[in-house]
């Protein structure tokens, strides 16, 4: 990937020299860098806020209540998972539901580690591990904080207008992923 970016930069500089637009290229590079820094700072503030909310939820016992609420779903999706793995899966799912992908990642890694300890064949991912990957890839987000923050940083007049389409698309993706994963697991056991 580094080679691709390096080649793109070199090609753009060469083209700007040939076209006589070096000043515009340099100005655009600085404007892009300034915009990137502004976006990152805006995004960091929102992520700090939601990570703090997750910590408060964890310490207040709200995350345990969410875990209890998600227990039937987790038992259906991860039938052979142990208690430790289910705890981390619940934390991961609740963070994803709240749109805190960065806060969900450490819990997802801990869940995957716990599922790997339970895996009888370490050369291959277990069904539970595959289901966790499918759910993390397609997670439902009730509050898409990342997208809202990016839209607000970009100057959107209504950064929250994306919520309903995200609910519809993420719910559709999750249902499709779960259905296909369960179908694959069932067919593999039949063979």
């Amino acid at each position: 990937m580094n080679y691709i970016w390096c080649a793109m930069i070199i090609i753009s500089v060469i083209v700007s020299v040939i076209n006589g637009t070096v000043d515009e290229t340099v100005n655009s590079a600085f404007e892009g860098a300034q915009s990137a820094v502004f976006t990152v700072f805006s995004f960091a503030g929102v992520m700090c806020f939601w990570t703090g909310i997750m910590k408060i939820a964890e310490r207040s016992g709200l995350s345990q209540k969410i875990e209890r609420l998600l227990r039937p779903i987790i038992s259906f999706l991860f039938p052979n998972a142990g208690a430790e793995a289910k705890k981390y899966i619940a934390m991961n799912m609740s963070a994803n539901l709240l749109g805190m992908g960065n806060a969900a990642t450490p819990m997802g890694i801990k869940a995957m580690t716990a599922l790997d300890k339970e895996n009888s064949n370490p050369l291959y991912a277990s069904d539970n591990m595959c289901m966790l990957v499918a759910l993390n890839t397609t997670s439902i987000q009730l509050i898409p904080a990342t997208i809202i923050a990016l839209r607000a940083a970009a100057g959107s007049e209504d950064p929250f207008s994306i919520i309903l389409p995200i609910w519809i698309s993420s719910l559709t993706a999750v249902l499709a992923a779960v259905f296909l994963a369960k179908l694959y697991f069932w067919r593999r056991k039949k063979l």
Side-chain angles (χ1 to χ4, degrees), residues 114-186:
L115 290 172
D116 191 38
K117 288 177 188 174
E118 300 169 0
N119 189 3
S120 60
N121 189 349
L123 294 176
Y124 299 100
S126 68
D127 290 354
N128 287 334
M129 294 168 80
C130 293
M131 182 63 77
L132 182 63
V133 169
L135 284 176
N136 270 297
T137 305
T138 62
S139 66
I140 297 173
Q141 293 188 3
L142 297 178
I143 305 167
T146 303
I147 303 251
I148 291 170
L150 288 173
R151 286 174 52 90
S156 173
E157 290 181 18
D158 187 10
F160 292 92
S161 66
I162 196 77
I163 290 178
L164 184 61
I166 285 178
W167 288 350
I168 293 168
S169 62
S170 63
L171 179 63
T172 304
V174 165
L175 292 175
V178 168
F179 173 76
L180 291 173
K182 288 287 189 179
L183 179 67
Y184 175 76
F185 301 154
W186 176 75

Side-chain angles (χ1 to χ4, degrees), residues 10-115:
I10 291 170
I11 290 169
S12 67
V13 169
I14 291 170
V15 169
S16 71
V17 168
I18 292 170
N19 290 335
T21 58
V22 176
D23 292 341
E24 289 88 357
T25 303
V26 171
N27 289 337
S28 294
F30 284 124
E31 286 174 19
Q34 180 182 6
S35 174
V37 169
F38 177 75
T39 301
V40 167
F41 279 126
S42 300
F43 182 68
V46 171
M47 289 312 299
C48 288
F49 172 76
W50 284 111
T51 304
I53 294 293
M54 189 64 179
K55 277 291 184 194
I56 291 169
E58 189 178 330
R59 289 187 181 159
S60 69
L62 181 62
S63 59
Q64 288 81 7
K65 290 178 184 175
I66 293 173
E67 180 183 345
R68 271 187 252 124
L69 183 70
L70 293 174
R71 195 171 290 153
I73 296 169
I74 292 171
S75 294
F76 170 72
L77 296 174
F78 304 92
N80 305 325
E84 179 186 13
K86 286 182 178 179
K87 177 182 115 180
Y88 290 127
I89 290 168
M91 294 288 288
N92 174 265
M93 287 175 73
S94 62
N96 276 326
L97 278 170
L98 297 175
M100 300 180 291
N102 289 347
T105 301
M107 293 303 136
I109 292 170
K110 288 180 181 180
M112 192 61 79
T113 302
L115 290 172

